[in-house]
Amino acid sequence: MYREFGISDETLKLAADCEAGLRDIFAEADRIAEYNQLKVLHAMQKNRVSEECFRTSTGYGHNDYGRDTLERVYADVFRTENALVRPQITCGTHAIATALFAVLRPGDELLCPAGRPYDTLHEVIGIRDSAGSLKEYGVSYREVGLKEDGSFDYDAIRAAVNDKTKLVEIQRSRGYSERRSFSVAEIGELIRFIKDIRSDILVMVDNCYGEFTEVREPSEAGADMVAGSLIKNPGGGLVPTGGYICGTDECIRQCAVRLTAPGLGQEIGANLGILPAFYQGLFMAPVVVAGAVKSAALASAVFKELGFFVTPGPEETRHDIIQAVRMEKPALLEAFCLGIQEAAPVDAFVTPVPSPMEGYADDIIMAAGTFVAGSSIELSADGPLRPPYTVFYQGGLSYYHGKAGVLKAAERVRAAL
Ligand SMILES: *Cc1c(COP(=O)(O)O)cnc(C)c1O
């Protein structure tokens, strides 16, 4: 079948050798998936998920039993007091922006102690001027970069905290940067450090791409809120749209009135009949994430063998599903993306080209042929057109699909070298 798929014996042999070297890494991913599968199952049973939960609601969505139960399930999975899990949260950026606007007031300061946040948040915060940003509402922003070795700069963080500091945002995943992703243990240590300086400072973790890559979530390590997208990890590839915020009851209530309206809060929001996918996607997510983690490790090993700088390295412990490969040349970045596109079940015949994109400063090239538009828990690769032309590979609903993508990308890149 691989030959029919255009994969040379040489590339296939390379992948087989890499897989053999990754046996322990794969076993660890399976062990994490096994734990998280039971975590999700237990949360569903504890909250008595029943057929009643799959009913459609329309209009205001008052007394939506399925929606309310799903939010209790999420709260239990993330070990928080409350959760907001909604199709009305349009994406990850919206979930994070909702959390920021929910707790920050004019005169407050937002602190990012672990480097610049994800591109789409720059306009939310006002790092790039934008209508409706936190900056426009009189919320100031402070940032502390990482140290040379990628660790937290604790001295600088201590110096950056002041009387106005209200909320700290920490991004778990690397996003479109080459920094490491942070483990839940590292994030927990940073949270303890900040709460030791002032215990009333709130901490929100951008959990995008990190969910279920470890047995614990940042909300189990002291974060007041974690937020993310349902067309990434926790949607398991099945959720058509939405986002989540899990956290303390007080924070989530504030998020709910920001999302809907003061006085309405969490009580409204019709489910429009798509709740079964929310439950089923969460149920599948641990296994889907394990497949994505394994194929990311394979991509790392294969492209390292081909001579590229990869991060994380094949044997490094992973805290998100993203694999970065420094392609060095625009043509190689495009070749990688073409290979991923050719491995898609949908739109395999189209050629990805770089173009401007809402919320991003540079042109972006994106390869994906997904069942859910824009879903990046499905096999996808993207990167901004700026040196060193790093491609970010992620997703794959099964390991075998991820592997097919890695092999096609390797074939295309080798031809373009
Ligand atoms: C994807 C992502 C976001 C934003 O999510 P969207 O759903 O694309 O709006 C934020 N932070 C990180 C780290 C991400 O990977």
Side-chain angles (χ1 to χ4, degrees):
M1 278 311 298
Y2 281 117
R3 215 164 284 150
E4 220 163 295
F5 202 60
I7 305 298
S8 64
D9 288 350
E10 206 181 339
T11 300
L12 202 53
K13 167 83 169 53
L14 170 62
D17 291 345
C18 289
E19 278 178 320
L22 290 168
R23 220 166 302 158
D24 292 348
I25 299 288
F26 285 11
E28 175 65 6
D30 287 336
R31 197 186 65 81
I32 292 167
E34 188 172 354
Y35 181 95
N36 285 327
Q37 183 70 79
L38 289 179
K39 195 185 202 184
V40 170
L41 176 62
H42 181 254
M44 289 189 175
Q45 293 184 348
K46 182 186 161 205
N47 289 288
R48 302 175 66 84
V49 172
S50 63
E51 225 178 293
E52 182 76 16
C53 296
F54 305 147
R55 287 234 187 113
T56 299
S57 72
T58 58
Y60 295 109
H62 285 303
N63 305 313
D64 185 330
Y65 177 71
R67 179 197 68 208
D68 294 347
T69 302
L70 179 71
E71 291 184 337
R72 282 196 297 276
V73 169
Y74 261 75
D76 280 336
V77 168
F78 287 84
R79 313 255 197 250
T80 56
E81 292 170 359
N82 200 348
L84 197 58
V85 187
R86 303 286 169 122
Q88 288 86 5
I89 299 177
T90 55
C91 62
T93 305
H94 188 194
I96 294 160
T98 301
L100 298 180
F101 276 96
V103 300
L104 290 162
R105 296 291 179 274
D108 288 343
E109 188 158 278
L110 168 68
L111 171 65
C112 286
R116 186 144 286 207
Y118 190 74
D119 292 51
T120 59
L121 296 176
H122 298 181
E123 288 187 52
V124 173
I125 295 166
I127 298 171
R128 268 204 316 282
D129 276 332
S130 186
S133 68
L134 285 165
K135 186 179 168 194
E136 208 181 72
Y137 282 89
V139 175
S140 58
Y141 170 69
R142 200 175 284 266
E143 179 181 303
V144 177
L146 296 169
K147 294 212 287 201
E148 197 85 54
D149 64 358
S151 63
F152 303 131
D153 190 342
Y154 283 111
D155 291 339
I157 293 168
R158 188 191 299 280
V161 173
N162 59 57
D163 290 348
K164 296 195 324 178
T165 311
K166 172 73 172 291
L167 178 70
V168 160
E169 195 254 18
I170 303 165
Q171 182 180 311
R172 181 177 180 183
S173 162
R174 64 186 58 237
Y176 280 156
S177 81
E178 281 193 16
R179 74 151 169 87
R180 292 181 310 116
S181 54
F182 303 128
S183 70
V184 171
E186 284 174 296
I187 291 170
E189 194 181 306
L190 178 55
I191 294 172
R192 273 194 303 281
F193 179 81
I194 284 159
K195 299 244 177 195
D196 274 349
I197 301 174
R198 250 192 40 223
S199 60
D200 60 333
I201 295 174
L202 297 169
V203 177
M204 195 273 292
V205 172
D206 172 354
N207 209 23
C208 283
Y209 285 135
E211 300 93 345
F212 301 129
T213 58
E214 295 186 46
V215 295
R216 286 197 316 153
E217 299 295 331
S219 39
E220 296 172 66
D224 298 280
M225 290 184 279
V226 292
S229 165
L230 296 186
I231 64 167
K232 293 181 178 172
N233 304 16
L238 296 176
V239 177
T241 187
Y244 77 90
I245 311 167
C246 298
T248 63
D249 198 41
E250 196 175 333
C251 284
I252 296 303
R253 281 172 193 281
Q254 284 178 292
C255 291
V257 299
R258 177 50 52 222
L259 179 67
T260 63
L264 302 180
Q266 222 170 338
E267 307 304 318
I268 65 156
N271 73 52
L272 302 176
I274 59 175
L275 275 188
F278 283 58
Y279 283 99
Q280 204 173 357
L282 178 65
F283 189 70
M284 294 306 296
V287 169
V288 171
V289 168
V293 165
K294 287 186 211 172
S295 76
L298 180 69
S300 179
V302 165
F303 280 87
K304 185 181 176 191
E305 280 302 312
L306 292 176
F308 292 92
F309 173 80
V310 292
T311 173
E315 266 134 64
E316 260 176 77
T317 315
R318 285 166 191 270
H319 314 296
D320 65 16
I321 63 166
I322 301 182
Q323 179 61 46
V325 183
R326 230 183 252 174
M327 303 311 298
E328 303 291 352
K329 292 181 188 148
L332 295 180
L333 170 59
E334 289 179 38
F336 187 107
C337 289
L338 179 60
I340 295 297
Q341 190 71 37
E342 287 176 333
V346 182
D347 290 335
F349 49 86
V350 305
T351 303
V353 292
S355 62
M357 180 147 174
E358 210 63 54
Y360 297 89
D362 299 284
D363 277 8
I364 306 273
I365 183 165
M366 292 191 157
T370 56
F371 297 108
V372 170
S375 167
S376 48
I377 184 62
E378 296 184 55
L379 180 64
S380 49
D382 31 62
L385 266 281
R386 62 183 178 225
Y389 303 99
T390 301
V391 70
F392 297 87
Y393 163 97
Q394 66 267 318
L397 293 184
S398 73
Y399 170 69
Y400 307 108
H401 186 219
K403 179 177 174 180
V406 172
L407 295 184
K408 281 302 256 188
E411 208 63 64
R412 278 290 176 190
V413 168
R414 285 177 60 195
L417 274 174

